[in-house]
Structure formats: structure tokens, C-alpha cells
Amino acid sequence: MLTTSRTLWSSNRKQSITFLIYSLGTHSILPRNSYHQCRGLHLRRSFGFWKKFDGFESNSCIFRHNSINIYVASLLGGFQILGGFAVLSSFKSSVKSIVTQSCPDKAEPTNEFVNQVVCTIENTSSIREIRNEIGRLCRCESVSAIANLLKLLHIKQIVLKSDALEILLTATSKHNNIELSLQIFKDLLTSSECLSSRSYCNFAKAFTNTDDCELLLNFITEVANGVFHNNVLILNRIIFSFAETRQIKKALHIFEYMKILKCKPDLFTYNTILGILGRAGQLDEMLLEFASMKEANIIPDIVTYNTLLNFMQKFGRFDLCLAFMREMDGKGLVLDLRTYTTLIESFGRSGRMEEALKLFDAMKQGNVRPSVYIYRSLINNLKKMGKLETANSLLNEMNCSLPNLIGPKDFKRKSR
């Protein structure tokens, strides 16, 4: 082996290269010391060797890829002796080219490879093994291979589990392939009653680079006509996922289209749309949809009013905040912490501190636990108005009540 030929390597590069090729061809694994002995070779000449080695016939392209990686690591270990950034740039580009050519996952999959994946799926009951096979296919980043896989599975009447379908959906949405993403998403809806939010977001991402909504609306029609169970829930989550992926126009388009379909928007749909319009700063459109909601005999709930109050307060429409508060009183809705926070902030920012303090007292009497943010908002607004005595009194009250107040830990989002 190469480890016994240090003198040969030092005296004759050509013979040493031939000896290394022979050693790699006859041994599946070489000692790392063998690769380290190679790093004395000048890089410009070593690339010529690896170019030949890349085309070297071997029974294992994996061992070839690993050998290149080990040799690269050996070169990096002794890189100080090379010097100069020009050599580093040439080294990085050449090694990247070699490793990319040698990596089996990046090669275009052949029909034989796809057939092997299908055969494995057909003959195993291991969910983990099926996921691994599909993941290996998706890492090739070939949409045509995924299409062939789905075609063969359909012919053989093999139904994939939802976790395997999610891997395929992630791959097709990454390439913005709408047709395949639609097909996989339909299979997911058929195979599982409750999909993850990730599945809906991946479905929406497939439409990122297109303004053509024909295929999307055709699918929405299918869902609305009851092809799948829980059609209203599915449409609501689709609208939400398009908004989450910043495709606001498409989300609103689906909502408007729902109004003329058999499956009409419900309370959750309207609450979602109000939130989308509020985040986009479209307050007039937000108020119009709120009016159309009531015209459709859909009764607003506390979430509806909190959404309206939140965005009206953010954009300084304090008059509307007061109007919505009175409307909530008339409906007998019980205010929660979010409602009180928004209203107190609205009154405070508009200089109406007496109303803000009255609301604060009503909140405590209603057994709604205050948050540290309400105290800070009141204290800051009181200081701005020069009411330092009241501000200091609230500050002392806040400091004494800190263990019982809702703080940052209560607002942390749960990990998905």
C-alpha cells in the first residue's frame, strides 16, 4: 500500500499516482496516512491526477467520492505550504467541480434508478426505509424523476403514506411545479384528514412564480364541491397559507371566488381575511369586509373585534376603536386581555387617560389578569402628560405585582 512507499512518492510522482490508483482499485478503504502523503504534490499537478481519477472505472462511486473528500481534507491540512490566494481560488473551484461530478445524489436519475426506488417501496413495510428512498430520489433535484415515480406508483396502485408524500411535495414546490404539487397535495388530502401547516405552505409556495390562477381556482372548485371532507376547513387553511407565503392577492382572490361557490366563507374565513387586510394596511377594505360579513348573517366574535381593534389602534383610528367598544358592549361580549390591551393603548395614545384608567380598573374587577405591557403603556402615557404622581403609583403597584402579571414567558410561541 501507499503507506510503505514514502520514498517512491517523493522521487517519482508519475509512479506514485499509478500506485495510488492501483491501491484504490484493489482496496475499499485506504488509511488516511496514504492521503496525507499525497498532499506534498503541487496542486496544479494534483488536479490532473484527480481528473483522471474521476473517470477511473470503479465498482463503487461512493468510495471514489469519499476518497476525494479525504484527499481534499489532507490538502487543507497542509495548505500553509502552498501560499497565495490565487492558488486557493483555483483549488476551491476545481475541487467543487470534481466533487459535484462524483456525487451520486446530484446526477440525473435513470429510469433504472427510479424503478429500483419503486421496487423498494413495493417490497418493504418499513416507513423509514420508504422515506429514505424517496428522500434519495428528491435529493437528485429532478422533477422528471418525481413524475416518473408517481406514474409508476399509480400504475402499480401503490399508495404512499402522508409523510412520504410531504417529502415529494416539498421537492416539487421548491421547483414551483404546479401540476405535480397539485397531484401530490390531492393525494395528501385523500390519505390524511388533518394535514400539517407545512404541507399547506409547501402547496402555496408552488404558485409563487406565477400569476395564472386557472389551475388553482379549478382545484378550489373541486374542494368546494365536496370532493374532500371538511371542505370549508381546507379552503380556510389554503387561504391562510397563501397569506403566510406573502401571496396576498391570491389569498384574496380565493376568498372572493368562494363567495360564488357552493362552499361559502364562514366566521374563520372572514377573521383570516380581516387579519390579512389589516396587516396590508388596507383599512377601508377591512371595514367593507366586516360589513359584508354581517350582511351574510355571520355573527362577529371576540376574535373579529380584537382583529379590528388591533389594526385600528395601530393606524391611529381611535374613533373607530371607541365605536367598536360600544358595539361589543351592546352585543354583551366579554372582553379579554387582548381587547383591554388594545383599548387602553388607544385611549392612552389619544390622551384620554381617564377612560384608560377606568378600563384598567374594570379589567381588574372582571378578574382579567393584567400584563406587564399594560402597566408600562399606562405609566409611559401618564409621564408624557405630566401626571408623574399617578405614574409612580402605578409603577409601585406593578413592581409589587410582578410575580402575578402576564409577562414575556406567557407570550412565547409554542414550538411546532
Side-chain angles (χ1 to χ4, degrees):
M1 295 183 66
L2 191 62
T3 49
T4 62
S5 57
R6 182 182 297 272
T7 306
L8 176 62
W9 178 260
S10 302
S11 61
N12 193 323
R13 278 195 188 87
K14 188 174 182 180
Q15 291 181 28
S16 298
I17 290 172
T18 304
F19 188 81
L20 179 59
I21 291 175
Y22 173 77
S23 300
L24 289 167
T26 55
H27 299 85
S28 59
I29 300 174
L30 288 182
R32 289 182 178 272
N33 187 37
S34 300
Y35 297 97
H36 283 282
Q37 289 181 38
C38 302
R39 73 186 186 194
L41 180 63
H42 196 280
L43 281 174
R44 295 184 186 276
R45 298 187 183 181
S46 69
F47 289 143
F49 158 63
W50 287 110
K51 185 176 180 182
K52 293 177 183 178
F53 180 56
D54 186 45
F56 175 62
E57 293 296 331
S58 169
N59 294 328
S60 174
C61 58
I62 295 176
F63 107 80
R64 179 181 64 183
H65 177 52
N66 290 339
S67 298
I68 291 173
N69 281 339
I70 297 171
Y71 179 65
V72 168
S74 302
L75 284 172
L76 288 172
F79 198 76
Q80 295 84 348
I81 64 172
L82 298 171
F85 290 98
V87 177
L88 174 61
S89 177
S90 174
F91 168 74
K92 288 170 71 176
S93 61
S94 300
V95 168
K96 183 179 179 181
S97 174
I98 292 169
V99 173
T100 302
Q101 292 171 13
S102 302
C103 179
D105 285 341
K106 294 297 181 182
E108 182 68 23
T110 61
N111 290 333
E112 183 182 354
F113 175 72
V114 177
N115 287 330
Q116 288 175 357
V117 173
V118 174
C119 184
T120 302
I121 294 171
E122 189 176 19
N123 296 314
T124 184
S125 58
S126 170
I127 297 175
R128 181 176 181 181
E129 190 173 349
I130 292 173
R131 283 202 307 262
N132 290 340
E133 284 296 300
I134 290 177
R136 192 158 65 98
L137 179 69
C138 291
R139 283 194 296 273
C140 300
E141 298 186 357
S142 171
V143 176
S144 60
I146 295 174
N148 290 337
L149 173 69
L150 293 172
K151 183 178 179 181
L152 288 172
L153 291 174
H154 179 71
I155 292 172
K156 291 178 175 290
Q157 297 183 345
I158 299 173
V159 179
L160 293 175
K161 299 292 185 182
S162 58
D163 51 355
L165 288 169
E166 284 189 357
I167 297 172
L168 291 172
L169 181 60
T170 302
T172 54
S173 66
K174 180 181 177 182
H175 294 280
N176 304 121
N177 192 296
I178 296 173
E179 291 81 3
L180 283 178
S181 296
L182 269 170
Q183 180 183 344
I184 297 167
F185 191 66
K186 288 178 182 179
D187 291 340
L188 270 167
L189 289 173
T190 304
S191 66
S192 176
E193 292 185 1
C194 184
L195 299 187
S196 66
S197 57
R198 183 180 62 182
S199 296
Y200 281 94
C201 282
N202 280 329
F203 170 71
K205 286 176 184 177
F207 295 84
T208 302
N209 294 334
T210 181
D211 293 325
D212 186 3
C213 293
E214 183 178 356
L215 286 174
L216 176 60
L217 294 182
N218 288 340
F219 172 66
I220 296 300
T221 304
E222 286 183 46
V223 177
N225 289 336
V227 176
F228 308 100
H229 295 295
N230 300 322
N231 50 359
V232 180
L233 175 63
I234 292 171
L235 292 177
N236 286 338
R237 296 192 69 182
I238 288 174
I239 290 173
F240 183 79
S241 65
F242 272 91
E244 284 285 286
T245 54
R246 299 184 181 181
Q247 300 180 73
I248 306 300
K249 289 183 178 179
K250 294 188 184 76
L252 295 174
H253 198 38
I254 296 169
F255 169 67
E256 292 298 330
Y257 191 60
M258 274 185 74
K259 292 179 179 180
I260 63 173
L261 295 175
K262 181 180 178 181
C263 178
K264 302 295 183 184
D266 62 1
L267 176 62
F268 184 87
T269 318
Y270 274 102
N271 285 344
T272 302
I273 292 299
L274 292 177
I276 291 172
L277 292 171
R279 282 189 290 273
Q282 301 179 28
L283 298 190
D284 292 337
E285 290 81 356
M286 190 181 186
L287 293 172
L288 285 173
E289 291 302 340
F290 179 61
S292 69
M293 174 184 180
K294 291 190 284 188
E295 288 174 5
N297 295 321
I298 297 175
I299 302 173
D301 63 356
I302 190 68
V303 175
T304 310
Y305 283 105
N306 281 344
T307 303
L308 289 166
L309 287 169
N310 180 45
F311 291 108
M312 295 303 156
Q313 183 264 129
K314 281 185 178 179
F315 289 95
R317 300 293 300 271
F318 305 123
D319 54 331
L320 288 175
C321 289
L322 182 59
F324 285 131
M325 185 188 75
R326 289 170 179 166
E327 190 173 317
M328 291 173 74
D329 272 341
K331 292 180 180 294
L333 287 174
V334 179
L335 308 188
D336 61 10
L337 176 61
R338 189 184 295 265
T339 319
Y340 279 114
T341 301
T342 305
L343 289 172
I344 289 171
E345 178 67 17
S346 299
F347 284 127
R349 287 178 61 186
S350 60
R352 302 170 64 174
M353 290 308 302
E354 288 185 9
E355 288 90 338
L357 291 170
K358 284 180 181 179
L359 270 176
F360 184 59
D361 290 335
M363 180 183 68
K364 290 187 288 185
Q365 290 173 7
N367 294 322
V368 178
R369 188 157 58 111
S371 70
V372 67
Y373 305 108
I374 291 181
Y375 272 102
R376 288 174 182 173
S377 174
L378 285 168
I379 291 166
N380 289 335
N381 288 321
L382 285 167
K383 286 181 176 178
K384 287 177 183 178
M385 296 186 66
K387 298 183 177 182
L388 301 180
E389 185 177 346
T390 310
N392 289 331
S393 176
L394 274 179
L395 179 62
N396 293 331
E397 183 181 318
M398 181 186 74
N399 291 332
C400 293
S401 307
L402 275 177
N404 300 319
L405 298 180
I406 293 178
K409 64 181 184 300
D410 301 295
F411 290 97
K412 285 182 180 179
R413 295 180 63 184
K414 294 180 180 179
S415 58
R416 294 181 179 179

